[in-house]
């Protein structure tokens, strides 16, 4: 999970300002534990431990659930993520301008997907599960969750760059996972990302996560709970995934055939080694309160 030093993340950083809570995170990184077990291993009382867990839950670091064991009920705690990344956007301070687009997962321009597949709003499933016809239901524009086993989905946003603007960088961010029947935390899927018809790279999603509860996922939703936040950056020297270079595709290649729009494609190819599906999460499902975000960074062309 990427965590930015912004006001909305104050609860996250505040939850870490405690030796006991740091110890709790260390313990839960190894196994699920109930309140009593955590209290015993940290040397505090169960009521105090409950307050610490509530603070960690408010920050989205820990989730808990009531479990009946041996005739009694206990609150079992689970760490939501195994990895957090602290990111400061200082490197962008000299970029003068940006065009930003927030694309709801249901507002695609083209799609083909095989079962298991479907769409869901924050209130209900759209149409029928595992029926590809639902992808063209008018209600799709309100979808907050989209999934299929094999196929592709494309989104288009306008290219507002003018002749006197020089493209510097393109950034795409989204919450994504594989698609297993119900869910499976170990369910690899090879997902290919393309822009303007140019294949950027193929990434293997590790799973379709459902053992832990999604921070934003509605309580009525019984299946997969959240995905991974991935950030793609296309620059003059290549394409990067989560700030690590993953391919040699450059801005010049993406812009070789300029168009009036940007065309973004997510695909699980029929001949992929791991045909494990694809799930896209909107801002009211999963762990990240965002839709698909595209940012186009540019500056005034000095040659103009």
């Amino acid at each position: 999970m990427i965590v930015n030093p912004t006001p909305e993340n104050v609860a996250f950083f505040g939850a870490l300002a405690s030796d006991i809570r740091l110890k709790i995170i260390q313990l839960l990184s190894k196994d699920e534990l109930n309140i009593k077990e955590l209290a015993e291993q940290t040397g505090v009382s169960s009521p105090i431990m409950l307050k610490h867990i509530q603070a960690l839950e408010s920050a989205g670091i820990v989730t808990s659930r009531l479990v009946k064991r041996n005739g009694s009920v206990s609150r079992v705690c689970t760490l939501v993520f195994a990895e957090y990344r602290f990111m400061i956007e200082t490197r962008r301070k000299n970029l003068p301008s940006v065009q930003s687009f927030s694309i709801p997962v249901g507002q695609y321009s083209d799609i083909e997907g095989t079962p298991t597949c479907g769409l869901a709003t924050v209130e209900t499933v759209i149409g029928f599960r595992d029926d590809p016809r639902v992808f063209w239901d008018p209600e799709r524009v309100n979808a907050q969750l989209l999934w299929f086993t094999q196929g592709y989905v494309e989104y288009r946003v306008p290219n507002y760059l003018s002749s006197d603007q020089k493209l510097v960088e393109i950034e795409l961010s989204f919450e994504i996972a594989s698609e297993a029947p119900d869910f499976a935390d170990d369910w690899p899927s090879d997902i290919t990302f393309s822009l303007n018809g140019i294949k950027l790279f193929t990434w293997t999603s590790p799973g379709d996560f459902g053992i832990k509860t999604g921070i934003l996922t509605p309580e009525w939703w019984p299946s997969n709970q959240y995905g991974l936040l991935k950030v793609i950056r296309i620059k003059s020297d290549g394409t990067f995934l989560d700030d690590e270079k993953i391919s040699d595709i450059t801005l010049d290649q993406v812009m070789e055939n300029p168009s009036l729009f940007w065309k973004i494609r997510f695909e699980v190819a029929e001949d992929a080694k791991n045909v494990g599906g694809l799930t896209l999460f909107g801002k009211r499902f999963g762990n990240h309160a965002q839709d698909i975000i595209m940012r186009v960074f540019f500056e005034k062309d000095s040659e103009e």
Side-chain angles (χ1 to χ4, degrees), residues 188-232:
S189 184
D190 297 335
I191 302 173
T192 298
F193 304 95
S194 302
L195 183 64
N196 288 359
I198 303 296
K199 177 182 172 181
L200 301 175
F201 61 90
T202 297
W203 166 74
T204 301
S205 167
D208 187 24
F209 309 106
I211 293 177
K212 302 173 185 177
T213 303
I215 296 170
L216 303 168
T217 301
E219 291 184 1
W220 64 267
W221 179 249
S223 188
N224 50 352
Q225 292 291 305
Y226 64 91
L228 301 175
L229 183 67
K230 309 306 291 183
V231 181
I232 298 172

Side-chain angles (χ1 to χ4, degrees), residues 54 77 85 99 111 120 155 161 223:
Q54 289 171 341
C77 304
R85 299 177 63 193
Q99 296 171 359
I111 190 169
Y155 299 87
L161 290 179
S223 188

Side-chain angles (χ1 to χ4, degrees), residues 9-135:
N9 288 324
V10 167
F12 176 88
F13 293 107
L16 299 180
S18 162
D19 291 344
I20 294 294
R21 290 197 283 272
L22 292 176
K23 179 64 175 178
I24 292 169
I25 292 171
Q26 291 176 348
L27 292 169
L28 293 180
S29 68
K30 300 173 183 177
D31 197 6
E32 294 184 327
L33 296 169
N34 62 34
I35 296 293
K36 182 179 179 181
E37 291 167 335
L38 286 168
E40 290 174 348
Q41 294 191 45
T42 55
V44 302
S45 67
S46 291
I48 294 297
M49 176 54 62
L50 181 58
K51 290 183 178 180
H52 284 301
I53 291 299
Q54 289 171 341
L56 291 168
E57 284 189 297
S58 297
I61 298 172
V62 167
T63 183
S64 68
R65 66 190 188 278
L66 295 176
V67 175
K68 183 177 288 187
R69 293 178 180 172
N70 301 321
S72 61
V73 176
S74 63
R75 183 172 294 277
V76 174
C77 304
T78 305
L79 193 66
V80 175
F81 289 98
E83 180 180 1
Y84 294 86
R85 299 177 63 193
F86 180 61
M87 186 172 292
I88 301 175
E89 299 288 341
T90 54
R91 67 185 185 86
R92 284 176 166 68
K93 63 183 179 182
N94 295 321
L95 295 184
S97 300
V98 59
Q99 296 171 359
S100 185
F101 306 91
S102 180
I103 313 164
V105 297
Q107 293 192 15
Y108 41 80
S109 58
D110 196 11
I111 190 169
E112 289 185 9
T114 64
T116 52
C117 63
L119 298 168
T121 69
V122 73
E123 292 90 10
T124 187
V125 171
I126 296 174
F128 301 97
R129 290 175 183 264
D130 300 333
D131 183 348
R133 293 176 296 179
V134 304
F135 289 134

